[in-house]
Amino acid sequence: MRKKIIAGNWKMNKSLEDGLALASEVTNMASDEVSSEVTMIMCTPDIHLSAVSGIAKDATNVTVGAQNMSEHESGAYTGDLSAEMIISAGASFVIIGHSERREYHFETNQQLADRVKLAIAKGLTPIFCCGESLETREANEHVGFVNNQLKESLFDLSAEDMKKVVIAYEPIWAIGTGVTASSDQAQEMHLSIRNSLAGQFGQEVADEISILYGGSMKPANAQELLAQPDVDGGLIGGASLKARDFIDIAKSY
Ligand code: 13P
């Protein structure tokens, strides 16, 4: 059975002090309130990873992830973060290809393909992000656009490695806007993503991959989105910055 995952992407928010307070609250509340079937992930700013990992290390259903990773193993890449650094800071997941990185840092599908491969080779679980702009959706090109992102970044993987990837479908028009995809729109795209993976890797592999929805997910809409058969969790931005909201989303299963 595929994993249920509720991941928080803190983006560039929280001082170390505030981040540690949030991580403690989430970790304590998760152990009391959230089903052990749900994996919760806090994807923190790089500089908080080690300390947040320390807080989450004894939790059974809370773990830690980074928000980005270099495609290079090490070397003269000022300001970048390697897979080994992420692992040595105690994290086990890494977001790859968030739309904000694609837009502001011009990350390409090929670069993301290299990062996904390196993350897997080093033992990290990539959370690979895909999703279309409003313009692409209005032109009714969203299915083809997302399929191309999958093809160019993931289709070179072996079936065994593909099973180690988590996918997050995040329509750009729903991120931070308060506009959520309807549960029908989310299910349509998640099914399309799964079918596309099945076409390349086989149905058995596709059925094992967790596909998360991201974009203005909050306690008020989580239950309906998470009830869709191909929505296996969420990647949550704004609502992951408040422990109560983040936990309530995880309790919506
Ligand atoms: P919001 O939940 O703030 O819309 O952000 C979603 C997102 O980008 C998570 O990666």
Side-chain angles (χ1 to χ4, degrees):
M1 214 176 67
R2 45 190 187 253
K3 272 204 191 111
K4 296 173 176 176
I5 296 172
I6 297 293
N9 177 6
W10 293 7
K11 306 191 180 181
M12 197 175 73
N13 291 296
K14 302 283 179 193
S15 66
L16 180 58
E17 193 185 359
D18 292 347
L20 294 186
L22 173 61
S24 298
E25 262 190 288
V26 167
T27 305
N28 291 335
M29 288 160 101
S31 85
D32 292 343
E33 301 182 38
V34 178
S35 154
S36 57
E37 282 180 20
V38 178
T39 301
M40 297 191 74
I41 309 167
M42 295 181 283
C43 297
T44 79
D46 304 342
I47 200 158
H48 302 356
L49 279 176
S50 178
V52 171
S53 296
I55 288 173
K57 76 175 186 320
D58 295 326
T60 51
N61 55 353
V62 182
T63 183
V64 179
Q67 298 176 11
N68 185 39
M69 190 196 99
S70 172
E71 64 272 29
H72 304 289
E73 291 209 26
S74 65
Y77 301 100
T78 302
D80 280 355
L81 187 70
S82 75
E84 272 175 18
M85 292 171 190
I86 296 170
I87 292 167
S88 67
S92 43
F93 288 80
V94 57
I95 296 174
I96 290 181
H98 192 282
S99 58
E100 288 151 14
R101 303 262 349 150
R102 293 176 187 260
E103 182 179 352
Y104 307 136
H105 298 272
F106 313 106
E107 293 180 353
T108 64
N109 287 341
Q110 182 54 54
Q111 229 174 354
L112 303 177
D114 294 343
R115 292 178 189 183
V116 168
K117 269 195 199 139
L118 184 59
I120 294 170
K122 297 289 181 185
L124 282 168
T125 300
I127 302 175
F128 175 77
C129 298
C130 55
E132 79 287 353
S133 65
L134 185 59
E135 200 183 10
T136 303
R137 179 159 280 261
E138 284 177 347
N140 204 25
E141 288 166 358
H142 47 292
V143 170
F145 181 85
V146 169
N147 276 343
N148 191 55
Q149 289 181 318
L150 301 175
K151 184 169 154 239
E152 293 194 357
S153 295
L154 301 178
F155 279 14
D156 261 0
L157 294 174
S158 67
E160 260 330 288
D161 280 351
M162 186 63 226
K163 284 189 201 168
K164 297 173 185 158
V165 178
V166 171
I167 292 183
Y169 168 62
E170 298 205 309
I172 296 167
W173 47 272
I175 296 177
T177 57
V179 179
T180 316
S182 69
S183 50
D184 286 348
Q185 285 172 320
Q187 170 57 21
E188 182 202 25
M189 281 308 291
H190 283 230
L191 181 61
S192 154
I193 290 168
R194 203 176 304 285
N195 286 341
S196 172
L197 296 172
Q200 178 69 12
F201 300 100
Q203 192 66 49
E204 198 195 324
V205 173
D207 283 341
E208 276 192 42
I209 294 170
S210 298
I211 307 177
L212 319 183
Y213 167 79
S216 299
M217 196 187 250
K218 45 189 179 259
N221 58 31
Q223 195 164 16
E224 198 185 334
L225 287 159
L226 295 171
Q228 301 306 308
D230 288 286
V231 177
D232 309 308
L235 181 55
I236 295 119
S240 74
L241 300 174
K242 288 198 185 120
R244 182 73 269 157
D245 286 354
F246 190 42
I247 293 289
D248 282 349
I249 292 172
K251 285 167 74 177
S252 302
Y253 266 117

